[in-house]
Short mmCIF file of all heavy atoms in Angstrom, two decimals:
data_model
loop_
_atom_site.label_atom_id
_atom_site.label_comp_id
_atom_site.label_asym_id
_atom_site.label_seq_id
_atom_site.Cartn_x
_atom_site.Cartn_y
_atom_site.Cartn_z
N MET A 498 106.68 97.00 99.94
CA MET A 498 105.49 97.81 100.19
C MET A 498 105.92 99.25 100.48
O MET A 498 106.83 99.48 101.26
CB MET A 498 104.74 97.27 101.42
CG MET A 498 104.22 95.85 101.22
SD MET A 498 102.98 95.75 99.95
CE MET A 498 103.46 94.21 99.20
N LYS A 499 105.22 100.18 99.86
CA LYS A 499 105.63 101.57 100.02
C LYS A 499 105.08 102.18 101.30
O LYS A 499 104.04 101.75 101.80
CB LYS A 499 105.12 102.40 98.84
CG LYS A 499 105.87 102.14 97.56
CD LYS A 499 105.33 103.04 96.47
CE LYS A 499 105.94 102.70 95.13
NZ LYS A 499 105.26 103.40 94.03
N THR A 500 105.78 103.18 101.78
CA THR A 500 105.30 104.00 102.89
C THR A 500 103.87 104.46 102.61
O THR A 500 103.58 104.93 101.52
CB THR A 500 106.21 105.23 103.04
OG1 THR A 500 107.53 104.79 103.31
CG2 THR A 500 105.73 106.14 104.16
N GLY A 501 103.02 104.32 103.61
CA GLY A 501 101.65 104.81 103.48
C GLY A 501 100.65 103.72 103.15
O GLY A 501 99.45 103.92 103.33
N LEU A 502 101.13 102.60 102.68
CA LEU A 502 100.23 101.49 102.39
C LEU A 502 99.93 100.72 103.67
O LEU A 502 100.69 100.76 104.63
CB LEU A 502 100.86 100.54 101.36
CG LEU A 502 101.07 101.12 99.96
CD1 LEU A 502 101.75 100.09 99.08
CD2 LEU A 502 99.75 101.55 99.35
N ASP A 503 98.83 100.00 103.65
CA ASP A 503 98.48 99.18 104.80
C ASP A 503 99.27 97.88 104.79
O ASP A 503 99.54 97.31 103.73
CB ASP A 503 96.98 98.84 104.78
CG ASP A 503 96.14 100.08 105.04
OD1 ASP A 503 96.67 101.05 105.60
OD2 ASP A 503 94.94 100.06 104.68
N VAL A 504 99.60 97.43 105.97
CA VAL A 504 100.30 96.15 106.11
C VAL A 504 99.29 95.03 105.98
O VAL A 504 98.30 94.99 106.71
CB VAL A 504 101.00 96.07 107.49
CG1 VAL A 504 101.72 94.74 107.65
CG2 VAL A 504 101.96 97.23 107.66
N ILE A 505 99.53 94.16 105.04
CA ILE A 505 98.62 93.05 104.84
C ILE A 505 99.12 91.80 105.56
O ILE A 505 98.37 91.07 106.16
CB ILE A 505 98.44 92.77 103.33
CG1 ILE A 505 97.78 93.99 102.68
CG2 ILE A 505 97.59 91.52 103.10
CD1 ILE A 505 97.83 93.99 101.18
N HIS A 506 100.43 91.61 105.50
CA HIS A 506 101.02 90.46 106.17
C HIS A 506 101.95 90.93 107.27
O HIS A 506 102.93 91.62 107.00
CB HIS A 506 101.80 89.61 105.18
CG HIS A 506 100.94 89.03 104.09
ND1 HIS A 506 100.01 88.05 104.33
CD2 HIS A 506 100.87 89.31 102.77
CE1 HIS A 506 99.40 87.75 103.19
NE2 HIS A 506 99.89 88.51 102.24
N GLU A 507 101.64 90.54 108.50
CA GLU A 507 102.52 90.85 109.61
C GLU A 507 103.85 90.15 109.40
O GLU A 507 103.92 89.03 108.92
CB GLU A 507 101.87 90.35 110.91
CG GLU A 507 102.72 90.62 112.12
CD GLU A 507 101.99 90.31 113.42
OE1 GLU A 507 100.75 90.35 113.42
OE2 GLU A 507 102.67 90.04 114.40
N GLY A 508 104.92 90.83 109.76
CA GLY A 508 106.22 90.21 109.62
C GLY A 508 107.35 91.20 109.76
O GLY A 508 107.14 92.35 110.15
N LEU A 509 108.52 90.74 109.42
CA LEU A 509 109.72 91.55 109.53
C LEU A 509 110.05 92.11 108.15
O LEU A 509 110.10 91.37 107.17
CB LEU A 509 110.85 90.66 110.05
CG LEU A 509 112.05 91.35 110.65
CD1 LEU A 509 111.68 92.24 111.83
CD2 LEU A 509 113.06 90.29 111.11
N TYR A 510 110.26 93.41 108.11
CA TYR A 510 110.52 94.08 106.83
C TYR A 510 111.82 94.85 106.92
O TYR A 510 112.26 95.23 108.00
CB TYR A 510 109.39 95.05 106.51
CG TYR A 510 108.08 94.36 106.17
CD1 TYR A 510 107.25 93.89 107.17
CD2 TYR A 510 107.70 94.18 104.85
CE1 TYR A 510 106.05 93.25 106.86
CE2 TYR A 510 106.50 93.55 104.53
CZ TYR A 510 105.68 93.08 105.53
OH TYR A 510 104.51 92.45 105.23
N VAL A 511 112.41 95.09 105.76
CA VAL A 511 113.64 95.88 105.71
C VAL A 511 113.42 97.05 104.75
O VAL A 511 112.83 96.89 103.68
CB VAL A 511 114.84 94.99 105.28
CG1 VAL A 511 114.66 94.39 103.90
CG2 VAL A 511 116.14 95.77 105.36
N SER A 512 113.90 98.22 105.14
CA SER A 512 113.75 99.40 104.27
C SER A 512 114.80 99.32 103.16
O SER A 512 115.96 98.97 103.40
CB SER A 512 113.91 100.69 105.07
OG SER A 512 115.24 100.87 105.47
N GLU A 513 114.34 99.68 101.97
CA GLU A 513 115.20 99.57 100.80
C GLU A 513 116.38 100.55 100.87
O GLU A 513 117.46 100.26 100.41
CB GLU A 513 114.35 99.88 99.57
CG GLU A 513 114.87 99.29 98.30
CD GLU A 513 113.89 99.55 97.16
OE1 GLU A 513 113.50 100.71 96.96
OE2 GLU A 513 113.52 98.58 96.48
N CYS A 514 116.14 101.70 101.48
CA CYS A 514 117.17 102.75 101.48
C CYS A 514 118.29 102.48 102.48
O CYS A 514 119.45 102.65 102.16
CB CYS A 514 116.52 104.10 101.75
SG CYS A 514 115.45 104.11 103.20
N CYS A 515 117.93 102.09 103.69
CA CYS A 515 118.94 101.98 104.76
C CYS A 515 119.08 100.56 105.30
O CYS A 515 119.85 100.33 106.22
CB CYS A 515 118.57 102.90 105.92
SG CYS A 515 118.45 104.62 105.45
N LEU A 516 118.32 99.65 104.76
CA LEU A 516 118.33 98.27 105.25
C LEU A 516 118.05 98.20 106.75
O LEU A 516 118.65 97.43 107.48
CB LEU A 516 119.67 97.59 104.91
CG LEU A 516 120.04 97.59 103.43
CD1 LEU A 516 121.36 96.86 103.22
CD2 LEU A 516 118.94 96.97 102.57
N GLN A 517 117.12 99.03 107.14
CA GLN A 517 116.68 99.07 108.53
C GLN A 517 115.57 98.06 108.71
O GLN A 517 114.57 98.11 107.99
CB GLN A 517 116.19 100.49 108.84
CG GLN A 517 115.77 100.71 110.27
CD GLN A 517 116.94 100.94 111.19
OE1 GLN A 517 118.03 101.29 110.74
NE2 GLN A 517 116.74 100.73 112.47
N THR A 518 115.72 97.13 109.62
CA THR A 518 114.68 96.12 109.80
C THR A 518 113.66 96.57 110.84
O THR A 518 114.02 97.10 111.88
CB THR A 518 115.27 94.77 110.22
OG1 THR A 518 116.05 94.95 111.38
CG2 THR A 518 116.11 94.16 109.12
N THR A 519 112.41 96.36 110.54
CA THR A 519 111.32 96.75 111.41
C THR A 519 110.21 95.71 111.29
O THR A 519 110.00 95.16 110.22
CB THR A 519 110.75 98.13 111.02
OG1 THR A 519 111.80 99.06 111.02
CG2 THR A 519 109.68 98.59 111.98
N ARG A 520 109.55 95.49 112.38
CA ARG A 520 108.41 94.57 112.36
C ARG A 520 107.12 95.38 112.22
O ARG A 520 106.92 96.36 112.92
CB ARG A 520 108.40 93.77 113.67
CG ARG A 520 107.21 92.86 113.83
CD ARG A 520 107.44 91.85 114.94
NE ARG A 520 108.50 90.91 114.56
CZ ARG A 520 108.27 89.81 113.83
NH1 ARG A 520 107.05 89.52 113.44
NH2 ARG A 520 109.25 89.02 113.51
N PHE A 521 106.30 94.97 111.30
CA PHE A 521 104.99 95.61 111.13
C PHE A 521 103.90 94.59 111.40
O PHE A 521 104.00 93.44 111.00
CB PHE A 521 104.83 96.14 109.71
CG PHE A 521 105.67 97.36 109.43
CD1 PHE A 521 106.79 97.27 108.61
CD2 PHE A 521 105.33 98.59 109.98
CE1 PHE A 521 107.57 98.39 108.35
CE2 PHE A 521 106.12 99.71 109.72
CZ PHE A 521 107.23 99.62 108.90
N ALA A 522 102.90 95.05 112.09
CA ALA A 522 101.74 94.20 112.36
C ALA A 522 100.66 94.47 111.34
O ALA A 522 100.60 95.55 110.74
CB ALA A 522 101.22 94.48 113.77
N LYS A 523 99.81 93.49 111.19
CA LYS A 523 98.70 93.62 110.25
C LYS A 523 97.85 94.85 110.58
O LYS A 523 97.65 95.16 111.74
CB LYS A 523 97.85 92.35 110.35
CG LYS A 523 96.85 92.20 109.23
CD LYS A 523 96.15 90.86 109.38
CE LYS A 523 95.20 90.61 108.24
NZ LYS A 523 94.12 91.60 108.14
N ASP A 524 97.39 95.53 109.55
CA ASP A 524 96.54 96.71 109.66
C ASP A 524 97.27 97.96 110.14
O ASP A 524 96.67 99.01 110.31
CB ASP A 524 95.31 96.46 110.54
CG ASP A 524 94.40 95.40 109.92
OD1 ASP A 524 94.37 95.30 108.68
OD2 ASP A 524 93.75 94.67 110.68
N GLN A 525 98.59 97.83 110.37
CA GLN A 525 99.39 99.02 110.58
C GLN A 525 99.60 99.66 109.21
O GLN A 525 99.23 99.08 108.19
CB GLN A 525 100.77 98.63 111.11
CG GLN A 525 100.96 98.76 112.60
CD GLN A 525 102.43 98.64 112.96
OE1 GLN A 525 103.08 97.65 112.61
NE2 GLN A 525 102.96 99.61 113.65
N THR A 526 100.20 100.83 109.20
CA THR A 526 100.56 101.45 107.94
C THR A 526 102.08 101.45 107.85
O THR A 526 102.75 101.70 108.85
CB THR A 526 100.02 102.89 107.90
OG1 THR A 526 98.61 102.84 108.04
CG2 THR A 526 100.37 103.57 106.59
N PHE A 527 102.60 101.16 106.67
CA PHE A 527 104.05 101.20 106.51
C PHE A 527 104.54 102.63 106.75
O PHE A 527 104.06 103.58 106.14
CB PHE A 527 104.45 100.73 105.11
CG PHE A 527 104.33 99.25 104.95
CD1 PHE A 527 103.28 98.69 104.26
CD2 PHE A 527 105.28 98.41 105.53
CE1 PHE A 527 103.17 97.30 104.12
CE2 PHE A 527 105.19 97.02 105.40
CZ PHE A 527 104.13 96.48 104.69
N THR A 528 105.48 102.75 107.66
CA THR A 528 105.99 104.07 108.04
C THR A 528 107.10 104.51 107.08
O THR A 528 107.52 103.74 106.22
CB THR A 528 106.60 104.01 109.45
OG1 THR A 528 107.68 103.07 109.43
CG2 THR A 528 105.57 103.58 110.47
N ARG A 529 107.53 105.73 107.26
CA ARG A 529 108.74 106.16 106.59
C ARG A 529 109.91 105.39 107.20
O ARG A 529 109.79 104.81 108.26
CB ARG A 529 108.97 107.66 106.82
CG ARG A 529 108.00 108.52 106.03
CD ARG A 529 108.08 109.95 106.48
NE ARG A 529 107.20 110.77 105.63
CZ ARG A 529 107.65 111.64 104.72
NH1 ARG A 529 108.94 111.85 104.57
NH2 ARG A 529 106.81 112.34 103.99
N CYS A 530 111.03 105.44 106.55
CA CYS A 530 112.22 104.79 107.08
C CYS A 530 112.58 105.42 108.42
O CYS A 530 112.72 106.64 108.52
CB CYS A 530 113.37 104.95 106.09
SG CYS A 530 114.92 104.34 106.75
N PRO A 531 112.71 104.62 109.46
CA PRO A 531 113.02 105.17 110.79
C PRO A 531 114.42 105.77 110.87
O PRO A 531 114.71 106.54 111.77
CB PRO A 531 112.90 103.97 111.73
CG PRO A 531 112.75 102.78 110.89
CD PRO A 531 112.56 103.17 109.46
N LYS A 532 115.25 105.43 109.93
CA LYS A 532 116.63 105.90 109.99
C LYS A 532 116.81 107.23 109.28
O LYS A 532 117.38 108.16 109.83
CB LYS A 532 117.55 104.84 109.37
CG LYS A 532 118.98 104.98 109.81
CD LYS A 532 119.73 103.68 109.58
CE LYS A 532 121.12 103.75 110.16
NZ LYS A 532 121.83 102.48 110.01
N CYS A 533 116.31 107.34 108.06
CA CYS A 533 116.53 108.56 107.28
C CYS A 533 115.25 109.37 107.09
O CYS A 533 115.28 110.44 106.50
CB CYS A 533 117.15 108.22 105.93
SG CYS A 533 116.04 107.35 104.82
N SER A 534 114.13 108.87 107.61
CA SER A 534 112.85 109.56 107.54
C SER A 534 112.34 109.81 106.13
O SER A 534 111.47 110.66 105.92
CB SER A 534 112.90 110.90 108.30
OG SER A 534 113.17 110.66 109.64
N ALA A 535 112.87 109.11 105.18
CA ALA A 535 112.41 109.27 103.80
C ALA A 535 111.29 108.28 103.50
O ALA A 535 111.16 107.25 104.16
CB ALA A 535 113.57 109.04 102.83
N LEU A 536 110.51 108.62 102.48
CA LEU A 536 109.57 107.64 101.95
C LEU A 536 110.40 106.48 101.42
O LEU A 536 111.42 106.68 100.78
CB LEU A 536 108.77 108.25 100.81
CG LEU A 536 107.87 109.43 101.18
CD1 LEU A 536 107.29 110.03 99.91
CD2 LEU A 536 106.75 109.00 102.11
N THR A 537 109.96 105.29 101.70
CA THR A 537 110.78 104.16 101.29
C THR A 537 109.92 103.00 100.83
O THR A 537 108.70 103.07 100.81
CB THR A 537 111.73 103.73 102.43
OG1 THR A 537 112.69 102.80 101.92
CG2 THR A 537 110.97 103.10 103.59
N VAL A 538 110.59 101.96 100.46
CA VAL A 538 109.93 100.71 100.09
C VAL A 538 110.40 99.66 101.08
O VAL A 538 111.59 99.53 101.34
CB VAL A 538 110.31 100.29 98.65
CG1 VAL A 538 109.75 98.92 98.31
CG2 VAL A 538 109.81 101.33 97.65
N TRP A 539 109.45 98.95 101.63
CA TRP A 539 109.75 97.90 102.59
C TRP A 539 109.69 96.53 101.91
O TRP A 539 108.69 96.19 101.29
CB TRP A 539 108.73 97.95 103.74
CG TRP A 539 108.87 99.17 104.57
CD1 TRP A 539 108.15 100.33 104.46
CD2 TRP A 539 109.77 99.38 105.66
NE1 TRP A 539 108.56 101.24 105.40
CE2 TRP A 539 109.55 100.68 106.16
CE3 TRP A 539 110.76 98.58 106.27
CZ2 TRP A 539 110.29 101.20 107.22
CZ3 TRP A 539 111.48 99.11 107.33
CH2 TRP A 539 111.24 100.40 107.79
N GLU A 540 110.78 95.81 102.05
CA GLU A 540 110.82 94.45 101.52
C GLU A 540 110.62 93.48 102.66
O GLU A 540 111.22 93.63 103.73
CB GLU A 540 112.20 94.19 100.88
CG GLU A 540 112.50 95.07 99.70
CD GLU A 540 111.72 94.69 98.45
OE1 GLU A 540 111.11 93.60 98.45
OE2 GLU A 540 111.72 95.48 97.51
N VAL A 541 109.80 92.50 102.43
CA VAL A 541 109.55 91.52 103.49
C VAL A 541 110.76 90.61 103.64
O VAL A 541 111.37 90.18 102.67
CB VAL A 541 108.26 90.71 103.22
CG1 VAL A 541 108.39 89.80 102.02
CG2 VAL A 541 107.85 89.92 104.45
N ILE A 542 111.15 90.37 104.86
CA ILE A 542 112.21 89.41 105.15
C ILE A 542 111.59 88.10 105.59
O ILE A 542 111.98 87.03 105.18
CB ILE A 542 113.11 89.90 106.30
CG1 ILE A 542 113.74 91.24 105.97
CG2 ILE A 542 114.20 88.88 106.61
CD1 ILE A 542 114.57 91.77 107.13
N GLU A 543 110.66 88.25 106.49
CA GLU A 543 110.12 87.07 107.16
C GLU A 543 108.66 87.34 107.45
O GLU A 543 108.32 88.24 108.21
CB GLU A 543 110.90 86.90 108.47
CG GLU A 543 110.56 85.68 109.25
CD GLU A 543 111.33 85.72 110.58
OE1 GLU A 543 112.54 85.49 110.56
OE2 GLU A 543 110.71 86.01 111.61
N GLU A 544 107.84 86.59 106.80
CA GLU A 544 106.41 86.78 106.98
C GLU A 544 105.93 85.86 108.11
O GLU A 544 106.25 84.68 108.10
CB GLU A 544 105.70 86.41 105.69
CG GLU A 544 104.51 87.27 105.38
CD GLU A 544 104.01 87.02 103.97
OE1 GLU A 544 103.20 86.10 103.82
OE2 GLU A 544 104.45 87.72 103.05
N ASP A 545 105.25 86.43 109.05
CA ASP A 545 104.73 85.60 110.13
C ASP A 545 103.59 84.73 109.63
O ASP A 545 102.90 85.10 108.69
CB ASP A 545 104.20 86.49 111.26
CG ASP A 545 105.33 87.15 112.01
OD1 ASP A 545 106.49 86.83 111.74
OD2 ASP A 545 105.04 87.99 112.87
N GLU A 546 103.44 83.64 110.28
CA GLU A 546 102.30 82.79 109.93
C GLU A 546 101.03 83.53 110.29
O GLU A 546 100.83 83.93 111.42
CB GLU A 546 102.38 81.46 110.66
CG GLU A 546 103.52 80.62 110.17
CD GLU A 546 103.21 79.14 110.24
OE1 GLU A 546 102.03 78.79 110.49
OE2 GLU A 546 104.12 78.34 110.03
N VAL A 547 100.24 83.74 109.30
CA VAL A 547 99.01 84.49 109.54
C VAL A 547 97.96 83.53 110.11
O VAL A 547 97.69 82.49 109.54
CB VAL A 547 98.50 85.11 108.23
CG1 VAL A 547 97.28 85.97 108.50
CG2 VAL A 547 99.61 85.94 107.60
N THR A 548 97.46 83.96 111.23
CA THR A 548 96.39 83.16 111.81
C THR A 548 95.09 83.62 111.21
O THR A 548 94.48 84.58 111.65
CB THR A 548 96.36 83.32 113.34
OG1 THR A 548 96.44 84.71 113.63
CG2 THR A 548 97.53 82.60 113.98
N GLN A 549 94.72 82.96 110.18
CA GLN A 549 93.50 83.36 109.48
C GLN A 549 92.29 82.69 110.12
O GLN A 549 92.27 81.49 110.31
CB GLN A 549 93.59 82.96 108.01
CG GLN A 549 94.47 83.92 107.23
CD GLN A 549 94.66 83.46 105.81
OE1 GLN A 549 94.49 82.29 105.49
NE2 GLN A 549 95.02 84.38 104.94
N ALA A 550 91.37 83.52 110.41
CA ALA A 550 90.13 83.00 110.97
C ALA A 550 89.42 82.18 109.90
O ALA A 550 89.09 82.69 108.85
CB ALA A 550 89.25 84.13 111.45
N ALA A 551 89.25 80.93 110.21
CA ALA A 551 88.60 80.05 109.27
C ALA A 551 87.11 80.34 109.28
O ALA A 551 86.46 80.68 108.41
CB ALA A 551 88.82 78.59 109.66
ZN1 LIG B 1748 116.34 105.10 105.02
#
């Protein structure tokens, strides 16, 4: 997921540029890479179980 997009699935993500792991919560916005401050792409490592309201 690119910087600036909304987080759809809460979970642990890693930045493509620096392999910096960060947790994003649902409805947050993907930030720039915290390490190099560049626009980046976040790859999901571990998606939390989404508690979907039935
Ligand atoms: Zn980076």
Side-chain angles (χ1 to χ4, degrees):
M498 297 296 141
K499 287 182 187 170
T500 300
L502 294 178
D503 291 339
V504 179
I505 296 167
H506 297 291
E507 179 172 335
L509 199 58
Y510 291 81
V511 61
S512 70
E513 204 175 52
C514 51
C515 301
L516 304 182
Q517 183 80 20
T518 55
T519 304
R520 175 165 292 275
F521 288 108
K523 193 175 183 299
D524 296 330
Q525 260 192 305
T526 301
F527 285 104
T528 61
R529 287 169 176 251
C530 173
K532 201 160 186 177
C533 69
S534 299
L536 296 172
T537 191
V538 174
W539 292 97
E540 296 287 348
V541 68
I542 302 177
E543 185 185 286
E544 216 170 87
D545 288 353
E546 292 212 10
V547 184
T548 47
Q549 283 175 338

